[in-house]
Amino acid sequence: MEAVNNDIKDVLISNARLLEQNYNGQEKNTNNINKIISELEQSIKHLFSLHISTTKKIDIGFINKVLFLQNTDGTKRINKPIFSVLKDNKFDMQGISFDGVHINNHLFEGLQNVIIDIDKVPEKDISKVKFTGVLVIGSLECANVEGTSFKGCISKLVLNPQKVKNKSLKYTVLEGIEIIGEEIDLFQDVCIEGTDFIGVLGNPKINPQTKEY
């Protein structure tokens, strides 16, 4: 069984590199490459599920090799089928770093011991991320938090509505976040369309006359 698992690991690494190459060449032949990407992702998910279910000890070094795909600009993206299987198995992510990784549009619920440093996320784009159970550190200043849910995250984050990207809290869930700032009206010209203020910390005061909706 160990030999079979080693073969599966080799194929997974190879497929991850092929997926990486196709993502980076996506603009050249979109229709054909999208089909290849879809087939590779299905294969990766099947093989990784098989590997997880049959191995006795998960190699963190191996997980790091297949979970992240290198972009041409030096940043990384998350290998979605690998990420999905890890979540399904409530995987312990201790020892896995998300520094330099694009995490927007990802939900982390189900994973254990995830640490995200906002200052090390490319362009500080944490939009549409669900941080349930995640230890979140760093600064929200200049961060894109549109559609982000901080509900259930482990953090002591503070937020000045005037200093987030585009002054937008659109559809952001602010539970557990402390609102700070010295401005008389912290929410002046700030978009709060769909913002969830339940469980927010501090004493935010909103003047409806100065809002962007």
Side-chain angles (χ1 to χ4, degrees), residues 91-151:
F91 192 75
D92 187 339
M93 304 292 280
Q94 187 171 358
I96 296 177
S97 171
F98 285 86
D99 293 355
V101 179
H102 292 274
I103 63 169
N104 56 309
N105 291 292
H106 281 83
L107 313 181
F108 286 86
E109 56 185 345
L111 296 173
Q112 302 177 52
N113 294 317
V114 175
I115 302 175
I116 299 292
D117 185 341
I118 300 168
D119 296 320
K120 295 181 180 179
V121 174
E123 300 177 7
K124 299 188 75 167
D125 184 0
I126 56 172
S127 60
K128 299 178 182 176
V129 173
K130 193 169 185 178
F131 282 121
T132 307
V134 176
L135 173 59
V136 185
I137 60 177
S139 169
L140 289 171
E141 186 170 335
C142 299
N144 183 349
V145 297
E146 285 194 349
T148 302
S149 174
F150 294 99
K151 184 176 182 179

Side-chain angles (χ1 to χ4, degrees), residues 3-16 62:
V4 172
N5 258 316
N6 285 333
D7 289 342
I8 291 174
K9 287 168 69 175
D10 289 341
V11 174
L12 279 167
I13 291 172
S14 176
N15 281 356
F62 168 67

Side-chain angles (χ1 to χ4, degrees), residues 125-203:
D125 184 0
I126 56 172
S127 60
K128 299 178 182 176
V129 173
K130 193 169 185 178
F131 282 121
T132 307
V134 176
L135 173 59
V136 185
I137 60 177
S139 169
L140 289 171
E141 186 170 335
C142 299
N144 183 349
V145 297
E146 285 194 349
T148 302
S149 174
F150 294 99
K151 184 176 182 179
C153 78
I154 307 165
S155 71
K156 293 183 179 179
L157 295 173
V158 297
L159 181 148
N160 184 328
Q162 294 291 322
K163 294 184 178 181
V164 294
K165 187 172 183 179
N166 300 325
K167 290 189 179 182
S168 180
L169 297 173
K170 189 174 183 179
Y171 294 107
T172 305
V173 179
L174 294 171
E175 182 174 313
I177 302 297
E178 181 181 2
I179 303 298
I180 63 167
E182 298 177 357
E183 292 83 354
I184 294 175
D185 185 353
L186 282 173
F187 292 91
Q188 183 171 355
D189 301 322
V190 175
C191 177
I192 58 170
E193 178 184 349
T195 305
D196 188 341
F197 288 95
I198 296 175
V200 70
L201 305 178
N203 186 27

Side-chain angles (χ1 to χ4, degrees), residues 14-26 33 70:
S14 176
N15 281 356
R17 298 293 75 80
L18 283 173
L19 185 60
E20 180 179 277
Q21 292 169 15
N22 279 281
Y23 269 128
N24 289 329
Q26 198 167 29
I33 289 181
Q70 196 77 30

